[in-house]
Amino acid sequence: MSLIHNGLPAWVHYGANALEEMNASGKKSLLISDENLSGTEMFRTALVLLSPAEVYLLPTGEPKISDAQQALEYFRKLRMERVIGLGGGSVLDVAKTVAALGKTESTVKESIGSQSLTRQVELILVPTTAGTGSEATRNCLFIDDQTGIKCALIADACLPDRVVLDPVLTRSLPPAIAAFTGVDALCHCAESYISCNHSPISRIWSMAGIELIREWLPKTIHERDNDEARQQMLFASFFGGVALAHAGTTAVHALAYSLGKRGVPHGVANSLLFEPVMRATLKAPEEQIPYFSELCTMIHRLPIPTLDRYDVCRKDAAAMAAEAMGQTRLLQNHPAEVPEKMARGIFENLF
């Protein structure tokens, strides 16, 4: 017998101005976002729609356990009744964690690995990028402050009550960010499709996301006023989140964490690794991943940043490969073996 966990958000509001039409009044709310986003016109507009709400701004970048803990302590101090996450995947992961732990006495660190959490706080998630799919998952990823290794809090309590997929909120995304967050969503869909844990149900979500990204991601880059393209990419990101929640990601994400440890944004790392990892590890990726060659061509045409923008170089390849071998959960989920020597070669060829 096989068993599938079908955890999904209770409500999904979507369409242009969906945030405006959703009634978020009536409860004392903590709005969690990040410092970089707070300076945008989109943030100021969202703040008016979500007021009155206290605001907590996270540092820009992938969150550490300590970042989530500080946000949690702020929430407890104010005794709020609702958490609203407005931002990319890092913001949403912190918002989920704060809501799940807000009425407990537990710390974030001691809750890592625990699934026995009962949330007593309303949770609304509003993604402003179409990439991570965090709004659709039970997963919250953080960097351990001591080791620099990614770890996860995964619990049903992290599933939101409401999700808002509003394309108006992604209009101001710079092309490069729209590109690499979109490829991140593609990786979630493609990796979950080939995952050793895939199922007929998970592949429905994976395939739906792949097909949307194939059609709409280039249009979000080249047609800046195309709200339909942005809406479809928000759906694709959501579908990718559901797919990875069912089946998990694989070797692309395993190797991407080593680049992320060196300051490469998660979506950039996945964008650069998708084709090299699949070609090196799979005998015939074109036969295993739908539209594989076409998707690789699409990625090459997108404005993805190159590694020379970050503090990483070819001599780091051996260390990065060794670190990637520590991502055993993801590597075991990959349908082919990924030896350390192969991982090192993949990293070396990125430069």
Side-chain angles (χ1 to χ4, degrees), residues 142-205:
F142 302 107
I143 297 172
D144 187 289
D145 292 76
Q146 279 70 49
T147 66
I149 296 173
K150 279 203 172 182
C151 52
L153 187 159
I154 303 174
D156 286 348
C158 296
L159 283 169
D161 299 294
R162 296 182 184 274
V163 169
V164 181
L165 303 179
D166 188 339
V168 173
L169 302 179
T170 66
R171 284 177 180 170
S172 59
L173 271 181
I177 296 179
F180 67 68
T181 55
V183 179
D184 187 23
L186 172 62
C187 289
H188 295 157
C189 295
E191 290 179 77
S192 60
Y193 190 88
I194 64 169
S195 160
C196 293
N197 288 321
H198 80 264
S199 69
I201 291 177
S202 70
R203 278 194 162 179
I204 290 173
W205 295 102

Side-chain angles (χ1 to χ4, degrees), residues 117-136:
L117 299 173
T118 302
R119 178 163 54 79
Q120 303 175 46
V121 175
E122 185 180 2
L123 175 61
I124 299 173
L125 298 181
V126 188
T128 59
T129 63
T132 68
S134 176
E135 70 278 2

Side-chain angles (χ1 to χ4, degrees), residues 57-130:
L57 298 178
L58 293 162
T60 300
E62 296 189 45
K64 300 181 176 66
I65 290 176
S66 58
D67 294 325
Q69 183 63 37
Q70 290 171 20
L72 175 60
E73 291 169 0
Y74 188 78
F75 175 86
R76 288 171 173 167
K77 178 181 177 181
L78 295 181
R79 299 179 180 273
M80 292 295 186
E81 301 170 305
R82 175 195 285 141
V83 175
I84 303 173
L86 175 73
S90 295
V91 168
L92 302 189
D93 283 0
V94 172
K96 288 153 67 173
T97 300
V98 170
L101 300 179
K103 297 293 185 179
T104 74
E105 296 182 356
S106 301
T107 66
V108 176
K109 189 173 183 63
E110 67 191 19
S111 300
I112 298 294
S114 172
Q115 297 191 27
S116 57
L117 299 173
T118 302
R119 178 163 54 79
Q120 303 175 46
V121 175
E122 185 180 2
L123 175 61
I124 299 173
L125 298 181
V126 188
T128 59
T129 63

Side-chain angles (χ1 to χ4, degrees), residues 331-342:
L331 293 175
Q332 289 171 359
N333 208 20
H334 197 69
E337 185 180 359
V338 187
E340 185 173 337
K341 183 178 180 181
M342 179 185 291

Side-chain angles (χ1 to χ4, degrees), residues 13-95:
H13 303 255
Y14 65 91
N17 301 309
L19 182 61
E20 182 177 353
E21 295 169 8
M22 184 195 69
N23 185 358
S25 61
K27 292 184 179 180
K28 295 188 295 183
S29 302
L30 178 64
L31 174 64
I32 298 177
S33 192
D34 70 40
E35 294 172 349
N36 190 49
L37 199 62
S38 67
T40 65
E41 182 64 30
M42 180 276 294
F43 178 84
R44 290 188 286 271
T45 299
L47 188 58
V48 171
L49 297 175
L50 295 170
S51 65
E54 291 287 335
V55 176
Y56 185 88
L57 298 178
L58 293 162
T60 300
E62 296 189 45
K64 300 181 176 66
I65 290 176
S66 58
D67 294 325
Q69 183 63 37
Q70 290 171 20
L72 175 60
E73 291 169 0
Y74 188 78
F75 175 86
R76 288 171 173 167
K77 178 181 177 181
L78 295 181
R79 299 179 180 273
M80 292 295 186
E81 301 170 305
R82 175 195 285 141
V83 175
I84 303 173
L86 175 73
S90 295
V91 168
L92 302 189
D93 283 0
V94 172

